[in-house]
Amino acid sequence: VGADIENLVNEGAILAARRSKKVVEQIDLEEAIERVIAGPERKSRLINEEEKRIIAYHEAGHAIVANSIPEADPVHKVSITSRGMAGGYTIMLPEEDRTLMSRKKLNADMVGLLGGRAAESIVFDDITSGASNDLERVTKMARAMVTRLGMSSELGPMVYGQKEELIFLGREISEQRDYSEDVAKQIDKEVRKIVSEAYEHAVSIIIEYRDKLDSVAQRLLEVETITRDEFEEIFPTPVPKNSGTPEPQTAMPQMA
Amino acid sequence: VGADIENLVNEGAILAARRSKKVVEQIDLEEAIERVIAGPERKSRLINEEEKRIIAYHEAGHAIVANSIPEADPVHKVSITSRGMAGGYTIMLPEEDRTLMSRKKLNADMVGLLGGRAAESIVFDDITSGASNDLERVTKMARAMVTRLGMSSELGPMVYGQKEELIFLGREISEQRDYSEDVAKQIDKEVRKIVSEAYEHAVSIIIEYRDKLDSVAQRLLEVETITRDEFEEIFPTPVPKNSGTPEPQTAMPQMA
Amino acid sequence: VGADIENLVNEGAILAARRSKKVVEQIDLEEAIERVIAGPERKSRLINEEEKRIIAYHEAGHAIVANSIPEADPVHKVSITSRGMAGGYTIMLPEEDRTLMSRKKLNADMVGLLGGRAAESIVFDDITSGASNDLERVTKMARAMVTRLGMSSELGPMVYGQKEELIFLGREISEQRDYSEDVAKQIDKEVRKIVSEAYEHAVSIIIEYRDKLDSVAQRLLEVETITRDEFEEIFPTPVPKNSGTPEPQTAMPQMA
Amino acid sequence: VGADIENLVNEGAILAARRSKKVVEQIDLEEAIERVIAGPERKSRLINEEEKRIIAYHEAGHAIVANSIPEADPVHKVSITSRGMAGGYTIMLPEEDRTLMSRKKLNADMVGLLGGRAAESIVFDDITSGASNDLERVTKMARAMVTRLGMSSELGPMVYGQKEELIFLGREISEQRDYSEDVAKQIDKEVRKIVSEAYEHAVSIIIEYRDKLDSVAQRLLEVETITRDEFEEIFPTPVPKNSGTPEPQTAMPQMA
Amino acid sequence: VGADIENLVNEGAILAARRSKKVVEQIDLEEAIERVIAGPERKSRLINEEEKRIIAYHEAGHAIVANSIPEADPVHKVSITSRGMAGGYTIMLPEEDRTLMSRKKLNADMVGLLGGRAAESIVFDDITSGASNDLERVTKMARAMVTRLGMSSELGPMVYGQKEELIFLGREISEQRDYSEDVAKQIDKEVRKIVSEAYEHAVSIIIEYRDKLDSVAQRLLEVETITRDEFEEIFPTPVPKNSGTPEPQTAMPQMA
Amino acid sequence: VGADIENLVNEGAILAARRSKKVVEQIDLEEAIERVIAGPERKSRLINEEEKRIIAYHEAGHAIVANSIPEADPVHKVSITSRGMAGGYTIMLPEEDRTLMSRKKLNADMVGLLGGRAAESIVFDDITSGASNDLERVTKMARAMVTRLGMSSELGPMVYGQKEELIFLGREISEQRDYSEDVAKQIDKEVRKIVSEAYEHAVSIIIEYRDKLDSVAQRLLEVETITRDEFEEIFPTPVPKNSGTPEPQTAMPQMA
């Protein structure tokens, strides 16, 4: 359940990995990246066959969904090898470093994160604890859109709650509520709506490409790890991909 | 009231016990496991006959209910020997280690946990403090399903509340509320519903197999401890058991 | 106002006293128990006659009520001798040690605890601060029934609030609220209902046995302390007593 | 504004003073008591004539009201000598030590405490900050009646809120709220009602004995301090006084 | 914006200054007082002409309003010299020391404090951050009247909230809320009403004496500082002044 | 996205820079100011072309909007050079130092701060995380207007919440709520209204001067940095500018 991985990837580990290229040149870079972002491989951890199948579908779900949304980053690798705390992982890498996140890009990432849970739900008619980290990240992103980035038209271009950076014997309180119960209710409603729409989007993609999902999951159970090339052979990107960085709606006039 | 035991079992003690197999090979493994998960036997603790009867029915309730639900783990041992703080204990062991918990498996475990209280209620027309640890665990599981695992369709695939890991002179605050009163009310309603349905399920099983419950309780009062074999002789599993790990709803296509 | 005493008795001091029997064999056991559970006798503390009368009726109230409820423990001693912080005390002793508390037993104990206040109210047409410890204990028991022991059908078989065991420079926070305002209101209503019914029960017993109450109070003013034998001579138990431990509703079948 | 004084008096300073009688035998006991309970006399503190008049009426108000309620303790001394932080003080002493406080006695004390503010209001058509300590004490007593002593029939014979005894670098938190908003509202309503009725009672007494109030205030401005004898000469107790300790409603039967 | 100054003045600096008279006899007392209560003069701080004009009107507003209310203390000095953090200051001195604050006096002081903001609003059709300290003090006074001094008939003669004096690494929490949301709403309403009425009073005085306001502000811009004599020459007190200490409504009878 | 810069500028860095003129005389002052207020230039930070375009429009948005409001400070420099954490920055400098902030000036500054987000929204049909610091500052200003500066007629000339200056191992709690839920709701409504009106104002300016926005953004992409002269050549101030300091509505009378 590659959530831990994606977490690290999106929060800068890739960047760190790239910057350390010169340092790591002599060793296998690919392994270095994964070690950095997913912890050491844990060959000793035995996961039974039934659970392997769920993990395979979960990771395949992330990959299939991400590959079907224009703004999501390309799938770099999908694996059901156990690394660190995760039973599997999916790595998505942007073509270029990014310093800004747009509303559309954030929505795309949330749909991708919910692809694992959506796949479980469609395939198994049950859902597991394996998505808990994905759900935490989706919730955090949706809350940030509404309360820190002014991306909900209901709540407007302002922030809600005061961020506190208290390092008090290891505790970090991330937010102090400074708004009324009414606003809290509006925030909850908006966050819930953003997450629900992302989940419905993920489910619809899983249903549309169910056969590809089965193929990727089956392949993962056979070979454990699929790279970008093999993944795109099984499931060629069905949409024109873009970086998720907004472009002007009209052509820019040239200055004399 | 084997709640403390079950608690430890489910939270990894079994795993720990298994991993330490090589270490404990020479001594009686069975005793080692129980010592690890339930504390030393307390022969000196005198419990009167009336209470022994309640404990016997309580433990028998756990065992009868767990044995009647497909996803619950097999009953390994039932005992009214006093160990640690518990007056008795019921050990359920999975056939294989587990890293994922599905919604159905969680529901099954909750029904099993409420089997003790359900048995007391049916047999004695009164209920005792002996179930308090069971209730704590059931509540914690139901809350986790709703707030951390996205398993309530009412609340959706997201998390509620921020987990805090503050080790502040021994205190651990498990959750910081970051939602409105309205959402708090919805959460309470969902959690209550999950627990109520599990309890009603437990009660219906107890009523259906009341004669087996009497038999197991009576046997416990005679011999104090019943192992899996003797338990299944008195009460053969009435349902096809499974591991509780979800399986695909349709056959998986084979890749070329 | 024997609340402090009863408090210690019910919370294990009796048990402690019993276990230390071997140790205390040579000295007067009866005095040892009372010294342990009620502090040293305070002959120097002068209480005026008007207050002595109130204390006598308060303690007699506890004794009369407890003696009229099947599940309440037998009255061992009633006294208006000042001990520790208490102006008087009533000791009720179970026939056997107890590790489980049933709903009926808890209700019985609450009625007994409210017997002091009920007696004051009926006899003096005023009430005093002497019952404050009784009220604290009754409230704590009723809350525990509803929030920790799943004994309210309104709130169901689950727990409310998270117990915290924080020893932080001497402070112990007993509970962290994790439920909505709506649930808080339901809890308050249930707790209030349990306490009110117990108080009304106590009042009805005081009214029914008012003559015995007068006799016991009068006797206390004459001799300061009444033992079980003398108490039962004045007021023979009007109900069949039982241990308060639930018994099966139907005969238990015998296993072959 | 003798609130600080009365505070100490009621909370045990008198008791302390009495117990230390043997110790202080050789010195002027009267002065010792006042020094203990009101701090050293502050001759240097200059209070202007306008304020002296307000203080005189405020203290006279306490004395007149207390002397007109059966359950209030007898007025021992009234003074407008500045002591400690107080501009004046009124000492009321019970005839005998007291360990129990009844509802009627508490109500009587609250009426006496509000006598100062009532006098200001009637005489000056304005009110001053001089009553702030009186108001704090009245509020604390009314809250205790409702939340700790079970003396409100609306809230019933139970306690509300958990007392905490936290000594954390000098802080003492007196109460942790453990009830719903609805109960908080009921408590506020009851407390407000108890205080309002006490204040209306105080005002009606001030109006009834306005001439005596003028006389006592005038005398205070002339001689600064009035003892019990002189006070009762100006204003003989208009009601039969009692100790405030409840008495049985009917004669007590004699045991054979 | 002499709020900081007034703050210190009212909270005891004047008193301190007076008591230290013997000590400071040899130096210029006037300068000593101002240095104590307003910090050292800051000649180096350059304030532009536009802002000087606003400050002049703000200070003149305090002085004009205070001089038009019977219970406000006489204006001792008005200045637009920058001292400490303040751009200007107005000193009002009572004729005699005061230990009691009446409701009328508190209302008078609040109107005076709001005179600065009222003047800005009338003269400039805009308002500035210069009044922030005035607003803080007015709010604190109005809240104290309602919650600590029992001066709101809506809330009655009692206190709301528990004052805490916690010195915890420099923090002082001034109040712990112990009342319901309903009472919080009533308190807010009363406080708001008291402040609004005071502000409307200030505005009406500014409108009535607009010509005097212009004269004083103009004079301040010319000479920077105006003493009591010059101020009263420009604007003779239009009302009979008093100390603000309540006087009896009727003549006091003489004792024989 | 020059929010960090503007932040420092408005909060006193400019002032600091000016005072240190004598110290820095020998070095390039312009560079010194920018180093002080925006951190060192970060040539090594590579930002891709798509993001550069968004940053250019964002900064141009600040500049165009600020230049179209009378009370906003003149645009001193606009740049898309990466400095510190910011991808670009816009410096606005007042003609003279300022110690007072009026309501109109605060509103003007908020419109300018929202110019970046407004430009993104109009040009790209998407919005980015680049405005988060702008939104934080706008929210803080609007809240201060309502709760600390008495600039909302709905909430009146008073403060809401108690500022706390607690330096507790690095934590600063900025406000303790002391008002009811009703007032919290009113505050939220007012703050939201102030921000919404400012944003709508910014959007309308961006739409009106869209061609100038394109020109400035294009020029920034060509030369990275534009100074005041070049900026005003492209977009001459379309409104009469003022300092934002209120002026009297009527001529001031002259004193004799």
Side-chain angles (χ1 to χ4, degrees), chain B residues 1 58 117 120 127-135, chain C residues 99-103 106 148-149 151:
Chain B
V1 295
H58 185 105
R117 160 64 58 99
E120 287 185 26
I127 47 184
T128 74
S129 56
S132 66
N133 191 285
D134 300 336
L135 305 185
Chain C
T99 62
L100 297 173
M101 289 296 281
S102 73
R103 181 158 55 184
L106 285 163
R148 315 275 357 138
L149 301 176
M151 289 180 175

Side-chain angles (χ1 to χ4, degrees), chain E residues 97-252:
Chain E
D97 282 357
R98 180 181 289 116
T99 61
L100 296 173
M101 289 296 280
S102 74
R103 180 158 55 184
K104 283 176 188 157
K105 174 66 181 154
L106 284 162
N107 275 321
D109 286 355
M110 287 191 287
V111 179
L113 277 168
L114 291 167
R117 160 63 59 98
E120 288 185 25
S121 169
I122 297 298
V123 175
F124 297 95
D125 192 29
D126 198 351
I127 48 185
T128 75
S129 55
S132 67
N133 191 286
D134 300 337
L135 305 185
E136 258 180 60
R137 290 185 57 211
V138 163
T139 306
K140 208 170 272 186
M141 288 165 78
R143 276 196 85 82
M145 288 174 72
V146 174
T147 66
R148 316 278 349 143
L149 301 176
M151 289 180 175
S152 147
S153 56
E154 290 299 316
L155 276 299
M158 52 187 285
V159 302
Y160 292 90
Q162 291 182 34
K163 273 195 300 191
E164 285 183 357
E165 306 201 22
L166 163 67
I167 310 306
F168 179 52
L169 301 184
R171 177 193 204 175
E172 188 199 339
I173 296 175
S174 55
E175 187 185 292
Q176 192 191 5
R177 179 167 162 179
D178 62 359
Y179 40 81
S180 64
E181 190 56 33
D182 260 47
V183 162
K185 195 172 150 182
Q186 274 181 289
I187 290 172
D188 284 346
K189 208 173 147 192
E190 281 295 287
V191 171
R192 177 72 207 277
K193 192 177 146 211
I194 289 171
V195 175
S196 290
E197 286 174 4
Y199 185 63
E200 279 161 30
H201 193 176
V203 166
S204 73
I205 291 171
I206 291 293
I207 289 171
E208 183 169 2
Y209 300 108
R210 171 64 196 266
D211 56 337
K212 300 301 182 189
L213 180 80
D214 288 331
S215 303
V216 172
Q218 181 62 36
R219 189 67 186 145
L220 281 169
L221 288 168
E222 288 163 12
V223 299
E224 282 228 331
T225 299
I226 306 177
T227 59
R228 178 170 184 172
D229 286 348
E230 188 175 0
F231 174 70
E232 294 193 345
E233 207 175 298
I234 302 175
F235 182 38
T237 309
V239 291
K241 301 289 281 187
N242 68 55
S243 69
T245 307
E247 296 193 30
Q249 292 304 96
T250 59
M252 226 171 155

Side-chain angles (χ1 to χ4, degrees), chain D residues 194-208:
Chain D
I194 289 170
V195 175
S196 290
E197 287 174 4
Y199 185 63
E200 279 161 30
H201 193 175
V203 166
S204 72
I205 292 171
I206 291 293
I207 289 171
E208 183 169 2

Side-chain angles (χ1 to χ4, degrees), chain C residues 1 42 45-51 53-57 114 117 120 122-132 135-136 138-140 143 168-177 179 181 184-185 188 191-192 195-196 199 210-211 214-219 221-222 234, chain D residues 19 71 95-106 145 147-169 171 173 176-184 186 242-256:
Chain C
V1 293
R42 294 179 56 183
R45 189 178 180 189
L46 287 179
I47 293 179
N48 69 52
E49 286 311 303
E50 284 178 321
E51 293 198 339
R53 195 165 48 192
I54 296 172
I55 293 166
Y57 267 104
L114 290 168
R117 160 63 58 99
E120 286 186 25
I122 298 297
V123 175
F124 297 94
D125 192 29
D126 198 352
I127 48 184
T128 75
S129 56
S132 66
L135 305 185
E136 259 179 59
V138 163
T139 306
K140 208 170 271 186
R143 278 196 84 81
F168 179 52
L169 300 184
R171 178 193 203 174
E172 187 198 340
I173 295 175
S174 54
E175 186 185 293
Q176 193 190 6
R177 178 167 161 178
Y179 41 80
E181 190 56 33
K185 197 170 149 182
D188 284 347
V191 171
R192 177 73 206 277
V195 175
S196 290
Y199 185 64
R210 171 66 196 266
D211 55 338
D214 289 330
S215 302
V216 172
Q218 180 63 34
R219 189 67 186 146
L221 289 169
E222 289 162 13
I234 302 176
Chain D
R19 277 177 189 159
E71 295 86 1
E95 306 287 356
E96 287 185 291
D97 282 356
R98 179 181 290 117
T99 61
L100 296 173
M101 289 295 281
S102 73
R103 181 158 54 184
K104 283 176 188 157
K105 175 67 181 153
L106 284 162
M145 289 175 71
T147 66
R148 315 273 358 138
L149 300 176
M151 288 179 175
S152 148
S153 55
E154 290 299 315
L155 275 300
M158 51 187 285
V159 302
Y160 292 90
Q162 291 181 35
K163 273 194 300 191
E164 286 184 355
E165 306 202 20
L166 162 67
I167 309 306
F168 179 51
L169 301 184
R171 178 193 203 175
I173 295 174
Q176 193 191 5
R177 178 167 162 178
D178 61 0
Y179 40 81
S180 64
E181 190 56 33
D182 259 47
V183 161
Q186 275 182 288
N242 68 56
S243 69
T245 307
E247 296 192 30
Q249 292 304 96
T250 60
M252 229 172 153
Q254 296 299 316
M255 266 194 93

Side-chain angles (χ1 to χ4, degrees), chain B residues 26 32-33 36 58 119 133 136-137 166 200 223-224 226:
Chain B
Q26 261 61 36
I33 290 178
V36 166
H58 185 105
N133 191 285
E136 258 179 59
R137 289 186 58 212
L166 163 66
E200 280 161 30
V223 298
E224 280 229 330
I226 307 177

Side-chain angles (χ1 to χ4, degrees), chain A residues 212-231:
Chain A
K212 301 301 184 189
L213 180 80
D214 288 331
S215 302
V216 173
Q218 180 63 36
R219 189 69 185 145
L220 281 170
L221 288 170
E222 288 161 14
V223 298
E224 281 229 330
T225 300
I226 307 176
T227 59
R228 178 169 183 173
D229 288 346
E230 189 177 358
F231 174 70

